[in-house]
Amino acid sequence: MKIFVTRKIPFWEEVSKPLYDAGHEVVVYEHNKKISREELIEEISKGYDGLLCLLTEKIDQGILIHDKQLKVIANYAVGFDNIDVPACQAKNIQVTNTPSDAVNESVAEMAWTLMLSLSRRLGEATSCMRNAAYRGWEPDIFLGMDLKGKTLGIIGSGRIGSLVASKGVAFQMNVLTHSRSSGTKLEDVLAQSNFISLHLPLTPETQHMINNQTLKLMK
């Protein structure tokens, strides 16, 4: 197979070894930046069997009309909303994504990094210091809040959402979850939660799930 990779990814030597060992021809975009749409069209027109792309690439009908023989598109991401899956299916192109335990853990930890930063007002405190606004210690300066005893709402209790929830238990938080399979209504989770963490694929059903009306339901 002839495979085009839209950008060199981390640990490339290790990741690409099975491809080279199997005798595949692998072409990697030579610049360490997002490939332009025009450059991607030019490459696709050369005739590749496989495409390894990133979330930064929009693989839509405008790209696919230049394809000559693509058999598979592998997305370097858990999500795949950057790829027109029905258009690929119409051309018998397989589309895959790349979930992994390591990625799940990284995303869950990042969600917690953001929650802790918000609860302890680190962004405000950092801005205060960088702008030379800090006058010295004060009894009520950037107090923030404890997480213990607060309620964490998880919207989407899949692999990543479940990891975030498990860490909430360790912080002695009350954890509520909402998903298509759970019996807990979204409105109830929003109304009871101090923090909301979203872990859903972007689909027409989930887009703008959090909006002006749902935000009004929160405390």
Side-chain angles (χ1 to χ4, degrees):
M1 287 181 66
K2 186 178 180 181
I3 302 168
F4 180 65
V5 183
T6 59
R7 189 167 183 170
K8 188 176 181 179
I9 61 178
F11 311 108
W12 175 246
E13 286 72 21
E14 177 184 350
V15 171
S16 61
K17 188 176 184 301
L19 297 176
Y20 289 115
D21 289 348
H24 298 303
E25 179 184 352
V26 182
V27 178
V28 183
Y29 181 55
E30 60 181 342
H31 304 293
N32 186 25
K33 64 175 184 177
K34 175 186 174 183
I35 188 171
S36 70
R37 187 173 178 87
E38 292 74 22
E39 290 174 304
L40 182 55
I41 289 175
E42 181 181 351
E43 287 295 335
I44 290 294
S45 301
K46 294 177 183 178
Y48 287 92
D49 302 289
L51 173 67
L52 173 56
C53 61
L54 283 67
L55 282 175
T56 47
E57 283 80 65
K58 186 74 172 178
I59 310 300
D60 54 21
Q61 188 64 44
I63 295 289
L64 294 173
I65 58 174
H66 299 278
D67 158 55
K68 297 178 180 178
Q69 60 190 55
L70 269 177
K71 299 179 179 66
V72 61
I73 297 175
N75 209 31
Y76 180 68
V78 174
F80 48 86
D81 52 281
N82 58 309
I83 299 176
D84 188 337
V85 176
C88 291
Q89 291 174 330
K91 298 194 67 172
N92 293 318
I93 300 172
Q94 297 292 315
V95 177
T96 68
N97 58 346
T98 50
S100 72
D101 291 339
V103 171
N104 296 342
E105 182 62 36
S106 296
V107 176
E109 289 186 11
M110 178 55 71
W112 272 98
T113 298
L114 296 173
M115 279 191 281
L116 287 167
S117 296
L118 288 169
S119 68
R120 289 299 162 192
R121 301 176 64 182
L122 292 185
E124 296 170 76
T126 299
S127 178
C128 177
M129 292 292 291
R130 291 185 180 277
N131 293 316
Y134 179 66
R135 302 185 301 270
W137 180 84
E138 300 174 43
D140 61 351
I141 190 170
F142 301 120
L143 286 180
M145 69 167 69
D146 293 337
L147 295 181
K148 181 179 178 180
K150 300 299 189 298
T151 299
L152 169 61
I154 307 291
I155 311 301
S157 53
R159 291 181 294 264
I160 297 173
S162 298
L163 282 172
V164 175
S166 67
K167 299 178 195 306
V169 174
F171 273 91
Q172 299 182 52
M173 299 182 75
N174 304 311
V175 179
L176 301 175
T177 61
H178 168 77
S179 65
R180 285 177 296 184
S181 59
S182 72
T184 310
K185 294 183 178 179
L186 173 64
E187 293 79 5
D188 294 337
V189 174
L190 292 171
Q192 298 178 57
S193 298
N194 302 98
F195 293 85
I196 292 291
S197 192
L198 291 174
H199 301 282
L200 298 165
L202 178 59
T203 67
E205 180 185 3
T206 62
Q207 187 174 22
H208 298 154
M209 175 180 282
I210 300 301
N211 54 51
N212 187 48
Q213 296 303 313
T214 51
L215 284 172
K216 289 178 180 178
L217 298 174
M218 296 189 67
K219 295 181 179 180

